Amino acid sequence: APAQKVNISAISQNDALINASAIKDGSQVGRVFLDKNAVIDVAGLADIQLSAKNSLVTIPRLGLNELADSPLLRNSFLYGKSIVINGDISGTRSDGVSWVGTPLANLSGYVQQVKRTVDLLLQNGGTISLAGNEVLSQESSLLNLDGGYSHYVGGYLPTTRLVTETGRVVDIANADPTVNYVGIAGQFVEDHQRWNSSQVYINTIVRGDKGIYVEDYIKGGNAGTLNLYGVTTTLLSGDVSAKAVSGRYQVAGNQQAKGGTVNYGATTNAINAVLPSPTLIPVSTSFVLSNNIVTLNQLAENFNQQSIIQASTKAISDTQNLDHWTPVDVNKLEQAGVANVNVVADTFGANRLGGEIVVNEDVDFEVQHGGKINLSGSKIKVDGKLTSHSGAINLVSTGRTFIEGTTTMPD
C-alpha cells in the first residue's frame, strides 16, 4: 500500500467485549502479532522515471510580488517578462530568503501549482499504527516505511539566461540578486516610442534554445511514520526500515528528504484506537532505551501467536522486567534511518499513565541530521548518549511519580 495508512488495533481494556468465537486459533486476546516473514509495506514509490524537462516551470509574467525581495530588479527589464525555471533547484540566499528556481524572485507558488501525476504523489512513505494490549513482531518480519524517489533522465533544459552589464551570460538559477542584469540572453528589444510600439529580435544561439545539458538526478520523498502502543508490552524483534534518499539538488538546496518518525507510547490517537473507554487510561509501562534488548525467541522457543509472555520475577524497578518496562532498541532505529523518535510514558494532566524513561549506559543513539528526539515521562534518567546534529532533543519530566502501579510507585 504505497504511501497509505495501515491501522491495526486489538481491543485490550475489557476482554469481555470480545466474542469467544473471534479467537479461533488460541491467539492471545488483545495482541497484535507480526509473524515470521510478515511484511507491512507503506513505502513510497521508487524509481519513477521522468524526463528532466518535467522539472521546467514557465512563469507567464513577473510582477512586483514576485520581485519584492530583489530591489534592484523591481523596475528592471524583468518586470512583466516571462521566464522558464527548473523547479527542482532551490536554496537560501545570504540574507536568509529561501527561493525556488531562481534567487531573484519568489516563485514557490508557481512550482507548487504544477500538476503532478498520481505516482509522484505517492513518493512519501505512509503511516503504520499498531495498538493493542501487546504489540509484537517476530524476527524476519518487516515494517517498511521508506521514502520513494523519482528519477529524472538527463537532457537539455532551456531555462532562461540573463546578461550582466559586462556582457556575461548567467543561468537564472545562478543569478545574484545584488547584481544588475540588463536583459535576457539572445533577446533584443527595440522600442519605438513615437509609435508606442516595440520590436523583439531573437538570437536562438545566444538565447540557448537547446538549453543546458543536465545529467540524470533523483528527487527523494520523505519516509513514513510508525505508531506503537502496547498497553502492557511492545517488543519488536523484526526489522524496521524508514530511510529516505536525497538527490543532488535537494542536498545543494538544504532540502533533504527526511527519514521516518517512530512514536512509542500512549498518544491520544493510539488510546482512542485501542481502548473502548479512553477515559479510563491505564497506567503506562515505563520505557528503557537500549542497544541490546530481549527477542521473542529468547522469551519462548519459536514464539508464535499462541505463546504466552510469562510474568516476570524481576523487581519492578529492573528495566528487564517486561511486565512494567517496554524496551526500545535504539540500534534498530538508527539502522532504520529514522529522523524523529518520540517516547511518551507520561504527560502533564493525564488521568493515570505515570511511566518513567531510562536511557541505558550502552546507548549511543544518533538520529538523521535535523531530526528530533522527544522523551516525556514522570522522570527521565539518561546514562547514555543521544545525538541530533542541527536538530533538537527535548526531555520533559512531569514529576508525577506518585501514580500507583507504576515503576516509580508500585502497588
Side-chain angles (χ1 to χ4, degrees), residues 231-233 285 309-314 320-325:
V231 178
T232 59
T233 304
T285 64
I309 298 179
Q310 300 295 335
S312 177
T313 58
K314 300 180 183 295
Q320 295 184 25
N321 184 330
L322 294 182
D323 295 340
H324 297 275
W325 291 86

Side-chain angles (χ1 to χ4, degrees), residues 260-408:
T261 296
V262 177
N263 299 315
Y264 272 89
T267 62
T268 300
N269 290 338
I271 291 173
N272 289 338
V274 72
L275 301 181
S277 302
T279 55
L280 302 176
I281 302 173
V283 297
S284 172
T285 64
S286 293
F287 292 85
V288 54
L289 279 62
S290 177
N291 272 343
N292 299 294
I293 70 171
V294 67
T295 66
L296 291 178
N297 288 335
Q298 289 174 324
L299 296 178
E301 186 176 356
N302 296 321
F303 194 101
N304 58 41
Q305 70 271 22
Q306 299 178 21
S307 301
I308 298 175
I309 298 179
Q310 300 295 335
S312 177
T313 58
K314 300 180 183 295
I316 291 180
S317 59
D318 190 331
T319 58
Q320 295 184 25
N321 184 330
L322 294 182
D323 295 340
H324 297 275
W325 291 86
T326 292
V328 178
D329 190 339
V330 294
N331 186 49
K332 186 188 298 291
L333 296 182
E334 188 166 335
Q335 292 178 354
V338 301
N340 305 297
V341 175
N342 304 303
V343 180
V344 178
D346 190 38
T347 58
F348 289 107
N351 180 11
R352 311 267 322 235
L353 292 181
E356 62 179 306
I357 299 175
V358 171
V359 180
N360 276 352
E361 188 176 0
D362 65 344
V363 169
D364 187 357
F365 177 46
E366 179 177 335
V367 294
Q368 184 187 48
H369 289 201
K372 295 181 180 180
I373 300 174
N374 299 313
L375 307 180
S376 177
S378 60
K379 71 176 183 178
I380 299 174
K381 181 183 179 184
V382 179
D383 291 326
K385 181 180 180 181
L386 304 174
T387 305
S388 177
H389 295 291
S390 301
I393 298 176
N394 302 308
L395 307 180
V396 178
S397 178
T398 65
R400 294 171 7 104
T401 58
F402 50 83
I403 308 298
E404 292 185 1
T406 63
T407 56
T408 59

